[in-house]
């Protein structure tokens, strides 16, 4: 782990003074496709959890979590910042069972679950854990619901911790994950003795602390922009994304209050990103507006930003495919200007990403799109690696 981290760090130091994109391209946001690729020092990137883990071994597992964390830490200091998906048990840098976890996030839906139970004076049932090598006792757990107690269950983890899926490495990793989740849940249960407000505050603090533990406090503040899927679709909710736990029936207004508190705390540590809002949909616009009014109101001190990932209508059966947000951007900006929102702390980020054609029109389309985003004073997401972007830049010089 140390040798790879040092190699990446030395690469960053060697490129920092000269590997910069021309200022014309400052607003471009490329993607990281490999943990070993060179990155432009002056650009923000979109990271990818799977790419940073690297290939699986023959047993279906990745390298250990500490090594993956070192890759993120090194890469983030090679560029201006990286957008990272970090908002739920399965959407984070640590995989819950395919490698040894480094610093797992406390899923926001767990915090909402505990806060709701405390508000209603109900007991918070902790996950069931045993010593990692106690196969006999782990095998006595009869269901995901029993394993997870009051919190959103995972069938995949249940099968691994109980040995129903025979993969020794995954079994140990899954048990380490449950033990870490138990530790978080115990702190939430202890806080419930002082009421729901204390549970929410403790949970928000634990989420932010996990970010700093994973990336390092300075790196988190200056180079990491964690993404919350605040407005998940039905499939994403079933995967645990968002603040609403799928196993409890909780009023929307209660969930909204938890969301705003959790995000507000995370914003203290650095920029955050929230997704995704269809600007052609009035309900989505209202949802984003309400959240921004709570997070970055006028006359409140602060310099960190909220990056709002906005779209046009998306294809229901595809993953983030459809129209981008540019047709509705001006209207939405004008709307936000009328509300109690500090627009200096808001950055709108249009999705889906720009996909370029191959052939002779590639350069023309790229630079035409760039001009559109320049006129809108917005960053431009592109499905390009550093190498592909470098080719475009050099061919235009």
């Amino acid at each position: 782990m140390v040798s790879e981290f040092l190699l990446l760090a030395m690469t960053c130091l060697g490129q920092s003074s000269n590997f910069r994109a021309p200022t014309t391209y400052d607003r471009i946001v490329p993607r990281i496709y490999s943990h070993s690729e060179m990155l432009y020092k002056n650009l923000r990137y979109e990271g990818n959890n799977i790419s940073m883990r690297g290939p699986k071994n023959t047993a279906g597992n990745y390298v250990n979590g500490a090594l993956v964390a070192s890759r993120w830490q090194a890469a983030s200091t090679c560029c201006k910042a990286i957008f990272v998906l970090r908002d739920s048990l399965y959407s984070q840098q640590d995989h819950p069972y395919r490698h040894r976890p480094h610093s797992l996030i406390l899923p926001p839906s767990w915090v909402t679950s505990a806060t709701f139970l405390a508000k209603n004076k109900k007991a918070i049932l902790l996950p069931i854990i045993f010593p990692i090598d106690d196969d006999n006792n782990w095998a006595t757990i009869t269901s995901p619901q029993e394993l997870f107690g009051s919190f959103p269950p995972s069938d995949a983890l249940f099968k691994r911790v109980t040995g129903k899926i025979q993969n020794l490495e995954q079994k140990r990793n899954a048990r380490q994950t449950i033990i870490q989740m138990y530790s978080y849940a115990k702190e939430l249960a202890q806080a419930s003795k002082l009421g729901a407000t204390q549970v929410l505050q403790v949970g928000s603090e634990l989420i932010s602390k996990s970010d700093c533990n994973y990336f390092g406090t300075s790196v988190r503040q200056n180079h990491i922009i964690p993404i919350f899927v605040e407005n998940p679709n039905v499939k994403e909710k079933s995967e645990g994304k968002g603040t609403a736990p799928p196993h409890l029936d909780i009023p929307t207004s209660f969930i909204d209050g938890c969301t705003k508190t959790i995000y507000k705390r995370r914003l203290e540590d650095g920029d955050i990103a929230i997704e995704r809002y269809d600007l052609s949909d009035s309900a989505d616009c209202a949802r984003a507006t309400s959240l921004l009014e709570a997070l970055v109101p006028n006359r409140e001190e602060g310099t960190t930003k909220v990056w709002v990932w906005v779209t046009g209508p998306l294809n229901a059966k595809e993953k983030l495919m459809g129209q981008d947000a540019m047709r509705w951007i001006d209207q939405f900006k004008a709307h936000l200007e009328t509300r109690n929102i500090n627009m200096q702390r808001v950055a709108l980020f249009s999705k889906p990403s720009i996909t370029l054609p191959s052939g002779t029109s590639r350069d023309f389309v790229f630079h035409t799109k760039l001009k559109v985003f320049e006129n809108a004073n917005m960053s431009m997401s592109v499905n390009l690696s550093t190498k592909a972007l470098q080719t475009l830049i050099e061919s235009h010089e």
Side-chain angles (χ1 to χ4, degrees), residues 17-41:
S17 61
N18 56 12
F19 198 66
R20 304 176 70 88
T23 56
T24 305
Y25 303 94
D26 276 352
R27 66 184 65 255
I28 297 297
V29 181
R31 296 192 175 187
I32 300 175
Y33 287 93
S34 167
H35 62 82
S36 60
E37 69 180 283
M38 300 246 318
L39 305 179
Y40 281 117
K41 186 69 175 179

Side-chain angles (χ1 to χ4, degrees), residues 264-318:
K264 189 83 169 179
R265 172 61 189 90
R266 213 178 194 190
L267 192 58
E268 293 177 16
D269 294 329
D271 290 5
I272 65 171
I274 55 175
E275 64 164 304
R276 83 195 54 91
Y277 306 91
D278 177 357
L279 297 191
S280 71
D281 186 302
S282 59
D284 272 19
C285 290
R287 180 171 183 152
T289 300
S290 175
L291 187 53
L292 289 173
E293 286 181 320
L295 296 180
V296 287
N298 280 318
R299 294 184 295 278
E300 180 181 86
E301 292 185 4
T303 58
T304 55
K305 288 186 177 183
V306 181
W307 293 75
V308 187
W309 294 37
V310 290
T311 76
L314 299 178
N315 301 334
K317 295 183 179 181
E318 300 289 342

